Amino acid sequence: AGEMKERVAALAGDVAGQVTLGTFHSVCLRILRRERSRLGKPDFSIYDADDQRNLMKQALLRAGIHDSRLTPAVALSMVSKLKNELVGPEAYVPVSYTDQLIGRVYPVYEDLLRQNNAYDFDDLLGKAVDLLQSEPEILERYASRYRYVLVDEYQDTNRAQYMLVTMLAGRHRNLFVVGDADQ
């Protein structure tokens, strides 16, 4: 993102300051910080990987899960995939034994995040999508602001990112994506 900002500034000059440029996560964080009063969280923390791992350890203990195959790292990876697909704990349908364990720990992990007034990295996308879906006037403000939307590395876009792009580009319908079919 930093390299892209430098390139835009070199090509566009002063007008580059009017361009919103960043990763999905950084753009979502800006939206969440600007709209924090609508979230009911005037000040929230973003948990890094260590914070998330420690919180998941607590969640596994509170959920009574002592299966050595479900380490905090494995549980976080599975929860991350669910969050990126916009599947919350209430909508999750477990199939396998491991899925059932995730079904037990996921809501506990979410409760711990809430209690700590924190979001994990994946929440940045999901909470921004939730906000834009539930607050039409906020969506209109951002969709009006972003007349043109460009997404690089589109082949790596997950459901949360797709939903965000769809909403932001929906008003003007000026979406340009770059992807590599070989990846």
Side-chain angles (χ1 to χ4, degrees), residues 95-114:
V95 178
S96 70
Y97 171 73
T98 303
D99 291 345
Q100 291 173 9
L101 295 178
I102 292 299
R104 286 176 37 203
V105 75
Y106 189 5
V108 176
Y109 176 73
E110 288 297 289
D111 284 341
L112 288 171
L113 282 169
R114 232 180 331 274

Side-chain angles (χ1 to χ4, degrees), residues 21-93:
L21 195 140
T23 63
F24 280 109
H25 291 88
S26 68
V27 170
C28 287
L29 178 58
R30 277 183 246 161
I31 291 171
L32 294 174
R33 292 244 188 252
R34 284 186 189 131
E35 308 300 335
R36 66 179 106 209
S37 64
R38 297 288 185 111
L39 299 169
K41 290 187 174 198
D43 206 15
F44 56 85
S45 299
I46 307 299
Y47 275 11
D48 65 14
D50 287 337
D51 295 327
Q52 290 175 52
R53 193 170 27 261
N54 289 332
L55 198 68
M56 185 56 80
K57 284 179 188 177
Q58 288 178 37
L60 287 165
L61 287 173
R62 287 192 184 181
I65 298 171
H66 305 289
D67 190 318
S68 62
R69 293 173 290 183
L70 189 64
T71 65
V74 170
L76 282 169
S77 175
M78 293 178 77
V79 167
S80 175
K81 288 177 185 170
L82 291 169
K83 286 185 176 192
N84 285 321
E85 292 301 314
L86 301 174
V87 177
E90 68 289 339
Y92 180 57
V93 179

Side-chain angles (χ1 to χ4, degrees), residues 93-148:
V93 179
V95 178
S96 70
Y97 171 73
T98 303
D99 291 345
Q100 291 173 9
L101 295 178
I102 292 299
R104 286 176 37 203
V105 75
Y106 189 5
V108 176
Y109 176 73
E110 288 297 289
D111 284 341
L112 288 171
L113 282 169
R114 232 180 331 274
Q115 289 171 22
N116 289 302
N117 198 31
Y119 292 141
D120 66 17
F121 200 59
D122 298 308
D123 284 331
L124 298 178
L125 300 172
K127 298 299 182 187
V129 168
D130 288 346
L131 177 70
L132 296 175
Q133 286 178 330
S134 65
E135 302 282 347
E137 69 280 357
I138 293 175
L139 172 58
E140 178 60 28
R141 188 169 1 111
Y142 286 97
S144 294
R145 179 179 180 182
Y146 299 125
R147 188 166 178 194
Y148 301 97

